[in-house]
Each structure stands twice: as C-alpha cells, then as structure tokens.
Amino acid sequence: MDVEDVFSSKLRIKILKILMQVGELNVSEIARRLGVNYNTTSKHLKVLEDEGILQHKVFGRIRLYRLNEHSPKAKGVQNLMEAWEHANKQ
Amino acid sequence: MPQYLSVFKDETKLDITYIPGRLPHRDRELRLLMEFFSFILQFPAKMAQRVIIFGDVGTGKTVLSQRFGVDITHEANKLGINLRYVHVNCREYRGSLFLILYHIVSVFHPTFPRRGYSAEELLRILLQILDEENAYVILALDEFESLVERESSEAVYKLTRLQEIRQDKPQRLSLICILRNLKVIEQLDASTRSTLQSNIISLVKYSKQQLIDILNDRVSLAFKPLTVPEDTISLTAEIAFSEGGNARFGIELLWRAGKYADAEDLDAVTPECVRKAVSSIIPTMRKSDLASLSFHEKLFLLGIARIFKEGQKAYISLTDAEQAYAVVCEEFNMKPHSHTQLWKYLQTLSGVGIVETEVSAAGNRGRSTLIYLSRIPIHELEKELSVLLEKEEV
C-alpha cells in the first residue's frame, strides 16, 4: 500500500495516536475509544498490521495490538506524532 | 509570613507503604524466607514454593514479605532472571481470585481488558504471559483469609496445583500466604492444606523493647535530630505494646504525634503529643468511667494528672503520685488514705484503662511501680476531674 493510502484514513491515524499513548489495547477498547464498531476497527487494524506498523498478541479470545517496535515504518510514525505534539505545545 | 518549622525530616518514612532497609527483630525470619526461596536464584524453573507467614496485626508480616520481595527481585535481576514479586491484599480485591489474577496480569499488560473471560482463563493467560516473557512470579497473598472466605478451597487449589496441568513446563508461580491465624487453613480441603503447610513462618508479638528499637529506627529516618525524646518513644512503645505489640500502630501514632507537635509549633514531640494523638485515634476516656470512680480515686488521679502536666514526663513513680495526691487532699481538706489503699486505687484506675502500670527493673533501690497516662490528654483529664470533684464537694 502506498503511504497516501495508509494515512488517508482519519480512523487509522487515531488508532496510531491511541496506541502511542497507551502502549497496547484490545480491539473492543480501541473501537470504544474511536466510537466505531468492532468490525470497522478490526478492518483498520488489519491494514496497519499488514503494513507492519502494528503487531498483535493473542491471549485466549483477546487480541492485544501495539506498535511494532521492530518496524522502521512504526518508528517513523512515532517520530512524526511526537514532533507534531511537541510543536503544538510550543 | 513566619517560616514553617516542622519536626519531620521525611514523614513518608512513617507511611504504611514505606519498606525500611532493615527490619529490627525480624532478620531471622527474613533469612528463613530467603532460604525457602533460594532455589529461584539457581534453578528458577525447577520448582515453585509455598510459604505461610502468620502473626497478629502489627507483627511485621506485610513488611517482612515486602522487604523479602525487594531483596530477592534485586538478587534475581542481577543474575538476569526475570522475577517479579507481586504483593496483593486479598481484602482490597474483595477476596476474588479473578480480581487478584487480573492484578498480576496487569503488572505485565497494564491495559489488559477487564471483561470477557473467567478466572480459569485468566490463570491460563497469566501462565502464557509468564512463559512468553520467561518470567517468574512470587505472589504474596496478604490477608489470605479473604480469599479463602470468598472462594473456599477451590481457588487456593487452583493456585497451588497449577503445575499439575502443565507437566514438564517451567514452574512459574510461587506463593506466600500471609494471614493472622492458621485456623483459616483448616477450612481448606486436605490436599490443598498439605501443599500449603510445609513452610510456616510464625511472627510473635513484639516486646516493648523491640518496639522501642523499631520506633528508634523510624525516628532516625523520619524526624529531625533531637526532636523525639526517649520518653516519647518509650510511651509510644508502651501504647503499641498494649495494642497487641502492634508496631504499625506505634509508627502511625508517632506520625500523628509529630503532626500535633507541628500544629502547636513545638520543637519536639512531647509525650503529651502522643497522648493527644492516641486519644484522637481511640476514644478511650469515657466520662462515665471517670464519674464511677470513688472520691479518693478521683483525688488520686487528679494528683497524677498534675504531675504529668508539670513535667512533660512519659511516666511517674507511685511515690511521685502519692506525694501529689497528698497535696490535692490538702486542697480539698481531706485526710489522705494509706499507701496500701492507694495501691488498690491504682489497680482500679489501671483496670478501667485510665492509667497503665509497669514494674520497673530492679535498680539500686529495688523495684518500683511506674505509672503511664497513655491515652488521655492531661488537660482534658484534669478539667473533667475538677468538674466532677467540685460537684461531689457541693
């Protein structure tokens, strides 16, 4: 996927922002924070995971998503968000 | 604005959550606990341990376990072993196995969802996490009684027999069960009991001298030098001893007494601050107790109160009390009663809990009876006695 396609979605940006703030979360909780349903959330999570930006762990029926610490793309996103937050605070 | 002066150097050292670097009079038990768990530092995956620590309130159960937790974690981490000590107060989690397990899981995954699975699933999830992270947990279940009362044998069985459902896998979870009374163990079924009862550490009530040592330790950490006189520590220890050798009570009392000293701009924590502090914790002086005393018992007590008021002492001798009583009798135009009679009055006052007595160690002049006015602020006592005596005189 091209970068403009990945970041064309407001929900995906929000997912990245949430996971950067809290570290890791399950699908239902991400959906609750986004204010959208489970399926929509799962769809966006899959896109981000397919791009290697996110990774997940399964515990029984629970899937916990987090930024993929080994991915250069995830690091890039993290740097961008931090720079953005920092600039907005000044 | 005047400068705020405090007797405290660092009052957090008196907080219930503070874990002191050393535990006076509990070093033997700490060593024993270390012995029980020494395998973790060599072969962490080979076995799991279960230990029971029991003793009355304030005998140091919690702090012993926590100190051990800090020490063993430190040692294990130095050796590259991923060991976590997790201390859970079962009562705070309403004795629920699910909530206790959730707490441990949240140590590893703080945002783990709270709903959607059972305690059994959560236990499996916990083991999965421990396996994945190659981690070991020593779980200290404080106020273990709550867990047994709510969940009965079943929950404890699950925790102690964990390994049987995962043969040939590393042992990940060890237990320290902390409780006041071993009776609760009798409520468990025979097999659970047998797995738990092999290692027991019993903590006996602290003596007054041991409490003095503990308080001295904390005073040096929490208060500025020379702000807590020996008398104050001795009185606090005396009260803590009468509360079942409760060190925690003594430490809290010392903190409260310090607050009274600060509130009154004193440069030291006097025994009177301790009395005020204790009366704010336990409403010990019942006016009906005072009213029910005989006229001469009241005169005697008034004499005792006046010496304490004059001298800022923690305790006085029976001879001091007799002399003060003679002065009060003169004031009220009464003939003083005999020494033997006063001894009986002292027993009555002690029985009601207004004063406490102790026989001093044999010195140059033999043994003598020491009188403590432990829990009652003198001003309040003197005022109340004066009102009652005036009424009776009329």
Side-chain angles (χ1 to χ4, degrees):
Chain A
M1 229 173 174
D2 289 328
V3 65
E4 65 271 23
D5 293 326
V6 175
F7 294 112
S8 63
S9 158
K10 198 173 173 179
L11 285 178
R12 285 201 282 273
I13 304 282
K14 274 191 177 177
I15 288 173
L16 292 169
K17 213 166 153 185
I18 290 168
L19 291 178
M20 258 195 65
Q21 282 163 358
V22 298
E24 60 180 6
L25 275 182
N26 59 313
V27 186
S28 302
E29 182 56 25
I30 297 170
R32 196 189 66 76
R33 293 187 187 209
L34 291 175
V36 297
N37 67 35
Y38 186 95
N39 287 338
T40 307
T41 308
S42 282
K43 202 180 76 190
H44 288 293
L45 285 168
K46 189 176 180 313
V47 171
L48 291 169
E49 192 170 19
D50 287 347
E51 285 303 315
I53 302 171
L54 297 186
Q55 60 182 358
H56 80 269
K57 265 187 185 179
V58 180
F59 298 99
R61 282 171 286 147
I62 313 257
R63 273 189 298 160
L64 284 188
Y65 279 89
R66 63 190 307 155
L67 289 177
N68 181 355
E69 59 205 36
H70 306 296
S71 152
K73 286 182 188 171
K75 281 211 177 83
V77 169
Q78 210 162 351
N79 290 340
L80 172 70
M81 297 252 182
E82 276 167 8
W84 206 274
E85 290 291 314
H86 184 69
N88 280 350
K89 274 182 195 161
Q90 283 178 338
Chain B
M1 202 173 147
Q3 202 190 346
Y4 174 71
L5 291 172
S6 173
V7 291
F8 291 108
K9 179 168 71 183
D10 178 3
E11 62 182 281
T12 62
K13 299 288 194 291
L14 300 172
D15 192 83
I16 192 166
T17 58
Y18 174 68
I19 306 167
R22 64 181 216 106
L23 302 178
H25 305 290
R26 289 291 179 248
D27 9 19
R28 196 184 63 84
E29 289 81 359
L30 187 59
R31 272 203 305 277
L32 189 56
L33 208 43
M34 272 294 192
E35 281 302 319
F36 285 149
F37 284 94
S38 58
F39 71 91
I40 278 190
L41 302 175
Q42 291 170 301
F43 319 105
K46 296 278 181 207
M47 64 184 273
Q49 187 59 283
R50 292 142 203 137
V51 175
I52 288 179
I53 301 176
F54 84 98
D56 281 336
V57 179
T59 50
K61 304 182 291 293
T62 301
V63 80
L64 170 69
S65 184
Q66 286 175 324
R67 180 69 258 162
F68 159 74
V70 172
D71 292 348
I72 193 137
T73 310
H74 182 71
E75 288 302 315
N77 292 347
K78 274 201 293 194
L79 297 168
I81 299 165
N82 185 5
L83 173 72
R84 308 280 183 104
Y85 169 86
V86 183
H87 194 102
V88 178
N89 186 311
C90 299
R91 195 159 52 88
E92 281 173 24
Y93 292 91
R94 303 194 300 275
S96 153
L97 178 64
F98 177 86
L99 293 177
I100 290 167
L101 290 172
Y102 178 77
H103 174 76
I104 316 170
V105 167
S106 68
V107 168
F108 294 89
H109 294 279
T111 55
F112 204 84
R114 271 181 173 270
R115 291 184 193 143
Y117 39 82
S118 64
E120 287 75 19
E121 285 174 286
L122 199 48
L123 193 53
R124 277 198 294 275
I125 288 170
L126 174 63
L127 290 170
Q128 181 193 337
I129 294 169
L130 298 181
D131 281 337
E132 281 177 6
E133 303 206 6
N134 192 21
Y136 303 90
V137 166
I138 296 176
L139 173 62
L141 295 165
D142 208 344
E143 302 211 38
F144 183 64
E145 294 91 337
S146 297
L147 178 67
V148 177
E149 274 160 26
R150 167 142 176 192
E151 307 264 7
S152 70
S153 278
E154 188 83 8
V156 188
Y157 186 85
K158 278 176 198 153
L159 287 173
T160 53
R161 295 300 184 91
L162 209 58
Q163 207 55 33
E164 288 172 11
I165 53 166
R166 35 180 278 128
Q167 301 260 336
D168 303 326
K169 285 202 168 181
Q171 308 227 23
R172 299 283 180 193
L173 188 67
S174 288
L175 294 179
I176 298 178
C177 303
I178 303 169
L179 56 158
R180 285 185 205 171
N181 197 315
L182 278 182
K183 269 189 182 163
V184 76
I185 301 293
E186 289 166 17
Q187 292 175 31
L188 301 171
D189 62 57
S191 61
T192 314
R193 239 180 8 239
S194 72
T195 53
L196 266 184
Q197 277 178 326
S198 43
N199 306 309
I200 298 181
I201 296 177
S202 157
L203 300 185
V204 292
K205 174 178 160 169
Y206 290 115
S207 70
K208 187 186 162 189
Q209 187 51 51
Q210 288 176 332
L211 287 164
I212 289 177
D213 296 340
I214 292 166
L215 293 173
N216 268 323
D217 239 41
R218 291 295 181 99
V219 162
S220 65
L221 295 167
F223 289 91
K224 288 177 185 159
L226 306 174
T227 55
V228 187
E230 246 177 66
D231 268 7
T232 298
I233 293 174
S234 174
L235 176 61
T236 311
E238 179 67 35
I239 297 168
F241 183 68
S242 70
E243 288 292 322
N246 188 340
R248 190 189 301 166
F249 181 87
I251 292 165
E252 280 177 21
L253 188 59
L254 213 47
W255 173 79
R256 207 172 286 267
K259 288 290 165 190
Y260 274 94
D262 277 359
E264 290 174 28
D265 277 336
L266 301 175
D267 51 14
V269 187
T270 63
E272 181 62 359
C273 295
V274 177
R275 285 184 205 106
K276 281 182 185 162
V278 81
S279 77
S280 74
I281 300 171
I282 326 167
T284 43
M285 188 182 69
R286 287 192 306 237
K287 288 184 180 175
S288 60
D289 284 341
L290 288 182
S292 67
L293 298 174
S294 73
F295 192 72
H296 274 269
E297 281 166 347
K298 287 188 192 103
L299 292 177
F300 184 45
L301 185 56
L302 182 60
I304 292 173
R306 284 185 178 168
I307 316 180
F308 276 113
K309 191 181 161 190
E310 281 163 19
Q312 295 288 353
K313 287 180 179 172
Y315 56 85
I316 58 167
S317 69
L318 181 56
T319 317
D320 294 336
E322 267 188 84
Q323 286 167 0
Y325 162 73
V327 175
V328 175
C329 282
E330 208 176 309
E331 193 183 311
F332 281 81
N333 283 323
M334 303 297 286
K335 191 175 169 230
H337 285 178
S338 69
H339 174 83
T340 317
Q341 197 62 45
L342 292 182
W343 170 252
K344 284 183 187 166
Y345 292 161
L346 191 60
Q347 301 314 306
T348 309
L349 295 174
S350 169
V352 179
I354 297 172
V355 300
E356 279 168 40
T357 59
E358 187 188 285
V359 178
S360 72
N364 295 341
R365 300 167 66 186
R367 290 175 186 276
S368 65
T369 303
L370 302 177
I371 304 167
Y372 292 84
L373 196 59
S374 53
R375 299 169 180 183
I376 308 166
I378 298 158
H379 292 279
E380 212 177 299
L381 178 64
E382 194 191 10
K383 203 171 95 189
E384 193 59 34
L385 280 171
S386 301
V387 171
L388 288 169
L389 284 166
E390 268 171 38
K391 267 190 209 164
E392 286 187 42
E393 252 199 324
V394 175

